[in-house]
Every structure is written in C-alpha cells, then in structure tokens.
C-alpha cells in the first residue's frame, strides 16, 4: 500500500508538472502512446513522447486530453467517475474507457490512466459494481496484531514484502513484520 501511495503521489506530482498539452493517442487494439502534443498538421499528430518526437496519422488513433484537435477525440459513453485513493490523499476524475483485469482505464484531461480497482474508492456513473452482495456488510479493516503481551490496533492497509502495513491513530502508518505478529480481525489475510 505504501508503494501505491508513493506511486500515486509521484503520479500526481508528475501530472502537475506535465505540460497542459499532454495527450494519449489510443489505437483500436487498446494500445497507445502518451506525450506532449507539439503539432497537428495535415492529419498527422506530432508528439514528444518518452522515446522522442514521433508522428502518427490521425486516422489510426483517437486522442485523449484537453488539447486534442476537434474531431480526433476518443468517443466514449458518458461514464464519469472520481477515483480516490484508500487513504483519501489523491483523487482522479475522468470517464471510464474500460474496466479490464481489475483496473479502471480512464480518459482524463491529461491523458489515459490505468488504476487498480482494489486500491481506490470509486464514485460516479461509470463505477463497476463491487463483487460483494449489496446486503452484505463491508469487512472492517480494523485489526489487532499480537505478539505475546504486545498488541497493535489499527486499520490494515495491506501486506507488502512480508510486513503488515497498519494505520495507527496518532502514529501514522507502521510496518510490522508478519512473521513476528499474529493478525486478528476480519481484514486479516
């Protein structure tokens, strides 16, 4: 979970630092390329991508981003969502292009994003229904980590590299060795 939070913070920082002319060009097969739109002439996109300056014919792709030339935008059914990280620190708004392999694929003003559904809370028309039955109470994330007379109580954020990530009031997020502590609670793996 810590890697997700750091990754989302870096993603947010990178998106703030990105140019206002950031786009994603998406092929019919679902693949695509992202970069800064530096020109669009005679039906040819010119974008500065991570591999350098590239030219792509408009008839081969759809454009995702605020600066897409008229008539080249990806046409998606209105499925707006707001995805919020589990810790609430990051929110991304966009339209759902597809939901595949447990990931939301979003068209946003700064291009396409793929976000693991298990790591976010989704709000909006385009949200994929949870697999839990509607009448079933959500599983509490509260757990107790116990080792002899030592116990730690908090919200389980995940299990990463053999350690529990647990959010503890007034202490923040702690990393606790899963081989040393027993986990007790509904959210325990």
């Amino acid at each position: 979970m810590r890697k997700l939070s750091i990754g989302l913070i870096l993603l947010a920082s990178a998106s703030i630092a990105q140019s206002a002319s950031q786009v994603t060009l998406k092929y019919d097969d679902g693949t695509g390329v992202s970069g800064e739109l530096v020109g669009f002439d005679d039906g040819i996109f010119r974008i500065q991508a991570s591999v350098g300056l590239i030219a792509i014919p408009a008839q081969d792709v759809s454009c995702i981003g605020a600066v897409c030339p008229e008539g080249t935008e990806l046409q998606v059914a209105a499925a707006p969502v707001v995805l919020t990280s589990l810790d609430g620190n990051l929110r991304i708004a966009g339209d759902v292009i597809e939901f595949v392999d447990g990931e939301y694929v979003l068209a946003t003003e700064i291009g396409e994003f793929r976000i693991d559904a298990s790591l976010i809370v989704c709000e909006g028309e385009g949200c994929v229904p949870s697999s839990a039955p509607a009448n079933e109470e959500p599983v509490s994330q509260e757990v107790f980590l116990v080792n002899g007379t030592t116990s730690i109580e908090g919200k389980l954020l995940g299990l990463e590299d053999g350690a529990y990530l647990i959010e503890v009031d007034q202490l923040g997020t702690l990393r606790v060795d899963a081989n040393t502590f027993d986990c007790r609670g509904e959210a325990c793996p």
Side-chain angles (χ1 to χ4, degrees), residues 14-189:
S15 66
I16 292 168
Q18 288 177 342
S19 162
S21 57
Q22 186 74 18
V23 297
T24 298
L25 301 179
K26 191 153 183 92
Y27 292 92
D28 288 340
D29 68 0
T31 61
V33 62
S34 295
E36 182 180 347
L37 180 64
V38 295
F40 181 75
D41 299 304
D42 299 323
I44 304 289
F45 285 100
R46 287 178 179 62
I47 67 168
Q48 184 67 43
S50 60
V51 295
L53 185 64
I54 58 175
I56 299 174
Q59 77 260 15
D60 295 341
V61 294
S62 295
C63 187
I64 302 170
V67 297
C68 292
E70 190 173 324
T72 65
E73 299 94 347
L74 177 67
Q75 299 301 313
V76 294
V81 295
V82 175
L83 303 180
T84 305
S85 63
L86 294 176
D87 63 8
N89 288 330
L90 182 67
R91 294 172 56 96
I92 298 174
D95 285 310
V96 176
I97 299 170
E98 63 182 340
F99 185 83
V100 62
D101 296 329
E103 292 182 327
Y104 283 95
V105 181
L106 292 185
T108 72
E109 288 191 1
I110 57 173
E112 177 183 304
F113 284 92
R114 289 181 160 273
I115 302 170
D116 188 328
S118 68
L119 303 175
I120 54 90
V121 174
C122 183
E123 301 172 61
E125 295 174 27
C127 294
V128 173
S130 166
S131 59
N135 60 356
E136 186 176 304
E137 288 292 317
V139 174
S140 168
Q141 291 301 107
E142 294 298 316
V143 295
F144 290 92
L145 301 181
V146 179
N147 179 344
T149 59
T150 304
S151 68
I152 302 169
E153 179 181 356
K155 179 181 175 185
L156 183 64
L157 301 175
L159 181 64
E160 179 180 285
D161 299 327
Y164 295 112
L165 297 179
I166 185 170
E167 187 176 317
V168 178
D169 288 340
Q170 299 180 353
L171 291 177
T173 302
L174 302 178
R175 240 180 125 73
V176 180
D177 185 355
N179 294 320
T180 307
F181 282 80
D182 293 323
C183 185
R184 298 181 185 159
E186 291 181 51
C188 292

